Amino acid sequence: LSMCSKLCYAIGGAPNQVAGSAASFFLQIYLLDIAHITPFHASLVLFIGKASGAVTDPVAGFFISKSRWTKIGRLMPWVLACTPFTIVSYFLMWYLPPFVSGRVAWYLTFHCLFQALTTLFQVPYCALTMFLSTDQKDRDSATAYRMTMEMLGTLIGAALQGQIVASAHVSPHCTVNPSLNTTDSWHDTPSILDPSDALSHQAKVYMIAAGVIAGVYLLGIVVLFLGVKERDDPYALNSDRAIPFCKGLALTMKHGPYVKLTASFLLISTAVQLEQGNFVLFCTHAAGLRNHFQYLVVTILVSAAVSVPFWQKFLQRFGKKCAACGISWMIPFAVMLVTIPNLILAYFVAFISGLSIAASLLLPWSMLPDVVDNFRLQNPHGKGHETIFYSSYVFFTKMSAGIGLGISAAGLEFTGYKPGICRQSDDVILTLKLLIGAVPAILILLGLFILLFYPITEESRKETKLALEELR
């Protein structure tokens, strides 16, 4: 597999991460402070949107597994067809409609559409890894290229969004010295404009950011289409039949390595989503870093992007299960940031968190092809199961992330979060500290404990490779 093909494949996945990063870091604070939706309604938008994307995963897997081979492949037509609709739904998700009463329905509709359409892109795009090459090293290398570019995409998305919309969250009256202003006006003066003003500065900068990111989508898809050639299933014989979707789904749910891998990273990805979804709120309201959040986000993502090649070399030398230890690095530093809010410490924590996030994103996508190969060896006369594995994996991770984000937003509602004020109540601050520190730490530790029982080792990977080469 040529370097050009791997690079074009990697660039194709970057736009989804650009848009997803902007939504992960900024959608919750946008709904609360710009659209003036209550935390409860924001939790519904976040959870139902993620759930709609999750439900779309098995549906996408079902229809894609039924697709016939075309001149441009079996998976590529799905990627191309859903892109225009994804761009439109993404832009409208950040549009502030002139009406107030129906805003919850507006954002719920377009967030659900965006999540569903990105699923229709992500499932065939991820499964395409299995149809680039039959060699494990080639696929691992393509995955590393992809994760590096996706981390760069995540960085670009957060950086673009953060720099463009930063002015929407800067309030001059919140910069006074709190020690000199002990009156209740410090707490009660909202820094928001009239919610009926759909053309406010805050709304405009968010729409500008959405338009820029929508343009990135077009560029990435063009590069993917022109630079990547999809290959048909190299192991399938003419007599082999595609595994029916329901039967294939039942088989995957009984496949031990897949169940352990999914359960482990289900918990770990939920922890990462909680960190991303609440980090800007934490910096703004709980850590006194209101004017630094966009730079801290960029620090996290730069660290993650540059560390992906390191983790790729690490897992090649020491094994994939051993590389999972890097995910736990964020725990002690996140706890330190919560207990000792300090600007220098915050940047150090951001750097370490980026290293851990890179490991948590690279490993499951590097390990999933090994699980698919293991399943192929046990079921040598079936084909078309790749999309089932990828779609069901994304389904579980999205559902867990949606539940986590929904519960966190509902927790802010319960503790009395008020949009636009300079300083939240002590209960809200405590909730944000728990969502950044204690809860992700527990989820990561549970996920790593489950991963200890993951049965595919480096030795078994080599044995599977030899057996599949003989089968081919």
Side-chain angles (χ1 to χ4, degrees):
L1 193 64
S2 70
M3 182 181 295
C4 180
S5 294
K6 288 185 280 190
L7 188 60
C8 290
Y9 172 66
I11 291 173
N16 237 17
Q17 300 306 312
V18 172
S21 170
S24 294
F25 281 106
F26 292 95
L27 184 58
Q28 181 163 273
I29 198 170
Y30 170 81
L31 294 174
L32 294 174
D33 288 0
I34 307 300
H36 304 160
I37 291 176
T38 66
F40 174 72
H41 287 134
S43 70
L44 288 180
V45 171
L46 293 172
F47 169 70
I48 296 176
K50 285 286 187 182
S52 68
V55 170
T56 309
D57 283 298
V59 176
F62 173 79
F63 285 108
I64 292 170
S65 66
K66 299 287 185 181
S67 300
R68 295 182 178 180
W69 183 266
T70 67
K71 292 182 179 180
I72 60 173
R74 185 163 60 93
L75 303 175
M76 192 69 75
W78 286 88
V79 173
L80 297 178
C82 67
T83 298
F85 303 101
T86 305
I87 292 172
V88 173
S89 64
Y90 179 79
F91 181 81
L92 293 177
M93 188 174 73
W94 298 98
Y95 174 72
L96 186 67
F99 48 83
V100 178
S101 59
R103 283 186 183 172
V104 175
W106 175 277
Y107 291 112
L108 185 60
T109 299
F110 288 107
H111 189 218
C112 289
L113 276 174
F114 174 70
Q115 291 292 338
L117 289 165
T118 54
T119 294
L120 290 175
F121 174 94
Q122 194 71 10
V123 170
Y125 173 76
C126 294
L128 192 60
T129 309
M130 302 300 299
F131 300 97
L132 296 177
S133 173
T134 59
D135 186 79
Q136 288 181 353
K137 288 185 177 180
D138 269 350
R139 292 201 305 253
D140 285 348
S141 178
T143 300
Y145 270 78
R146 171 193 151 201
M147 295 313 302
T148 301
M149 196 57 65
E150 286 190 355
M151 288 310 307
L152 287 173
T154 304
L155 168 63
I156 291 169
L160 277 175
Q161 188 88 358
Q163 294 301 317
I164 295 173
V165 309
S167 60
H169 300 286
V170 174
S171 302
H173 76 280
C174 289
T175 59
V176 299
N177 188 343
S179 64
L180 301 178
N181 188 345
T182 58
T183 64
D184 290 338
S185 63
W186 168 262
H187 302 275
D188 297 335
T189 306
S191 60
I192 54 179
L193 297 179
D194 180 2
S196 63
D197 184 8
L199 297 178
S200 66
H201 170 71
Q202 288 95 326
K204 286 181 179 178
V205 294
Y206 268 97
M207 283 171 24
I208 290 170
V212 172
I213 290 175
V216 175
Y217 253 107
L218 287 175
L219 178 62
I221 297 306
V222 169
V223 172
L224 176 68
F225 176 69
L226 296 178
V228 173
K229 182 180 180 181
E230 179 183 346
R231 301 178 182 179
D232 204 355
D233 190 341
Y235 296 116
L237 304 175
N238 291 332
S239 59
D240 290 346
R241 294 184 177 181
I243 299 176
F245 182 82
C246 293
K247 179 182 177 182
L249 189 61
L251 290 173
T252 59
M253 293 301 103
K254 296 177 183 177
H255 193 58
Y258 178 72
V259 172
K260 293 180 176 66
L261 178 69
T262 302
S264 172
F265 282 98
L266 182 149
L267 295 169
I268 292 170
S269 65
T270 302
V272 173
Q273 285 287 333
L274 283 174
E275 293 272 0
Q276 287 183 332
N278 294 284
F279 186 75
V280 176
L281 284 170
F282 172 78
C283 291
T284 303
H285 299 298
L289 301 170
R290 179 186 295 270
N291 297 322
H292 295 272
F293 71 82
Q294 68 268 35
Y295 306 112
L296 290 168
V297 168
V298 169
T299 302
I300 292 173
L301 298 175
V302 168
S303 170
V306 300
S307 63
V308 169
F310 162 76
W311 286 118
Q312 176 65 13
K313 294 292 184 182
F314 187 96
L315 64 86
Q316 285 179 344
R317 182 167 183 178
F318 300 103
K320 297 179 181 180
K321 286 180 68 174
C322 185
C325 67
I327 301 172
S328 64
W329 291 357
M330 76 169 71
I331 296 176
F333 297 102
V335 173
M336 287 173 61
L337 177 62
V338 168
T339 54
I340 315 172
N342 175 274
L343 182 59
I344 296 176
L345 178 62
Y347 278 99
F348 184 66
V349 170
F351 176 77
I352 297 298
S353 296
L355 298 178
S356 296
I357 289 172
S360 70
L361 293 177
L362 175 64
L363 280 173
W365 295 113
S366 181
M367 297 166 86
L368 196 55
D370 301 334
V371 173
V372 176
D373 280 347
N374 184 271
F375 181 85
R376 157 72 74 179
L377 195 60
Q378 297 181 20
N379 300 271
H381 295 294
K383 63 179 181 179
H385 55 276
E386 294 83 4
T387 53
I388 299 174
F389 273 98
Y390 280 87
S391 63
S392 55
Y393 174 78
V394 178
F395 167 79
F396 288 117
T397 53
K398 281 187 177 179
M399 279 298 293
S400 64
I403 292 171
L405 290 174
I407 291 174
S408 70
L412 293 175
E413 167 83 10
F414 179 76
T415 52
Y417 179 89
K418 295 179 181 179
I421 65 175
C422 294
R423 185 175 291 172
Q424 299 290 339
S425 67
D426 291 341
D427 289 339
V428 172
I429 292 174
L430 176 61
T431 301
L432 288 171
K433 288 181 177 180
L434 290 174
L435 292 173
I436 288 293
V439 177
I442 294 171
L443 292 174
I444 289 172
L445 290 174
L446 288 174
L448 292 176
F449 177 75
I450 295 173
L451 197 62
L452 291 175
F453 302 96
Y454 176 70
I456 297 179
T457 63
E458 296 306 303
E459 291 74 18
S460 65
R461 282 182 64 227
K462 293 176 182 178
E463 293 172 2
T464 300
K465 177 184 177 182
L466 291 174
L468 286 176
E469 287 299 324
E470 184 176 348
L471 176 68
R472 188 161 69 101

